[in-house]
Amino acid sequence: MDLRARRSYRERVQFNAAQREIVLKLVYYGPPLSGKTTNLQAIHRLLGADLTGHLTTLNTADDRTLFFDLLPVVFQSATGYRIKVKLFTVPGQVVHAATRRLVLAGADGVAFIADSQVTESAANNEYWHGMRHYLTQSGIDPDKVPRVIQFNKRDLPNVRTDEELALVHSRGREPVFKAVAIRGTGVIETLHGLLVVTLAELNRRYDFEQKFRISTDAMLSTLFARFELSSSAAVG
């Protein structure tokens, strides 16, 4: 590995002091039909027009995401900073591998959306390792990127048990969530968890709260004030 080609975390998040704007890029990644687009559609519906912009979706004839979905979530801090959180999804189909790598480039945080069905375990594993590979190709250390895992489709038969998900959680450092994205269940909790770990990393590297006078607790409270986050969505 050529370490000279690797970029640091510092080069990804976008700060614009003149416009007093901070832009974060969060990517929803996972195998085909795992529910990435469904997550963004649910977030767009649940957060509402006062916090979200237009949801841009490009679909193929069979209704799968062709390139990416983009959903901006905007928060205005008490100190006048405009914080824009851009949520992307990536195409799951094998033929769009180059697009997945492109969308992952510059990610400040990643939500890996896994399909809970036992028959999809191999695909989940393949795409997890693919995600790590593409992050490395983009010069990003996959072990340092803030990330969470969501096991979607918990309402279907023949899904991995709660005990199996607990084992996945115990083997890694990522927060793990359960969801039924088509109903909006566990979707907000997943986004909240991803923002918690991403903002914590910003604080660790930049002293984010002190330098910009932005309270991450206030930001999270504003974004999620209308929701009663369910502890049952989190694994462990």
Side-chain angles (χ1 to χ4, degrees):
M1 183 186 302
D2 183 4
L3 295 178
R4 292 172 300 176
R6 298 182 68 81
R7 294 181 301 169
S8 68
Y9 187 94
R10 186 180 298 274
E11 294 170 316
R12 298 203 297 278
V13 62
Q14 299 175 33
F15 297 105
N16 188 322
Q19 297 183 8
R20 298 183 70 79
E21 183 175 78
I22 299 169
V23 181
L24 304 179
K25 179 179 181 180
L26 305 181
V27 177
Y28 280 57
Y29 192 99
L33 301 178
S34 62
K36 303 178 296 295
T37 294
T38 307
N39 264 270
L40 262 66
Q41 290 170 336
I43 291 168
H44 187 256
R45 181 180 74 253
L46 293 168
L47 287 184
D50 55 329
L51 291 174
T52 63
H54 180 67
L55 174 60
T56 302
T57 307
L58 300 174
N59 291 321
T60 60
D62 63 357
D63 204 32
R64 295 187 183 187
T65 307
L66 176 58
F67 290 110
F68 59 84
D69 298 330
L70 168 61
L71 172 64
V73 177
V74 179
F75 165 77
Q76 189 80 28
S77 77
T79 52
Y81 272 93
R82 187 170 184 261
I83 303 171
K84 182 181 290 185
V85 181
K86 292 185 177 181
L87 306 180
F88 291 81
T89 65
V90 296
Q93 300 92 312
V94 174
V95 295
H96 297 304
T99 305
R100 285 198 294 278
R101 184 172 65 249
L102 179 65
V103 175
L104 270 175
D108 295 298
V110 178
F112 186 86
I113 309 302
D115 192 319
S116 288
Q117 297 176 96
V118 173
T119 55
E120 299 303 314
S121 296
N124 290 334
N125 190 55
E126 176 187 350
Y127 274 74
W128 174 262
H129 290 289
M131 176 189 71
R132 292 179 58 86
H133 173 70
Y134 293 136
L135 285 169
T136 300
Q137 280 194 332
S138 299
I140 300 171
D141 187 340
D143 291 320
K144 293 183 179 179
V145 174
R147 57 185 184 265
V148 300
I149 299 172
Q150 180 196 96
F151 279 92
N152 189 26
K153 305 186 182 181
R154 300 300 295 166
D155 58 326
L156 297 183
N158 301 316
V159 297
R160 300 180 70 175
T161 65
D162 287 350
E163 290 74 20
E164 288 177 294
L165 301 195
L167 183 60
V168 171
H169 178 259
S170 69
R171 289 175 172 173
R173 64 177 182 84
E174 305 86 5
V176 178
F177 298 90
K178 297 179 288 185
V180 182
I182 198 168
R183 299 178 187 168
T185 305
V187 167
I188 293 298
E189 287 81 0
T190 301
L191 175 61
H192 180 272
L194 181 57
L195 279 170
V196 166
V197 295
T198 301
L199 293 171
E201 180 66 6
L202 283 176
N203 255 334
R204 189 182 75 81
R205 290 188 172 266
Y206 296 105
D207 194 13
F208 186 72
E209 292 192 345
Q210 185 65 31
K211 288 184 178 178
F212 296 97
R213 302 292 180 183
I214 296 172
S215 167
T216 56
D217 285 341
M219 177 179 173
L220 292 171
S221 295
T222 299
L223 289 177
F224 301 104
R226 70 188 69 174
F227 303 101
E228 185 174 342
L229 300 176
S230 173
S231 60
S232 63
V235 175

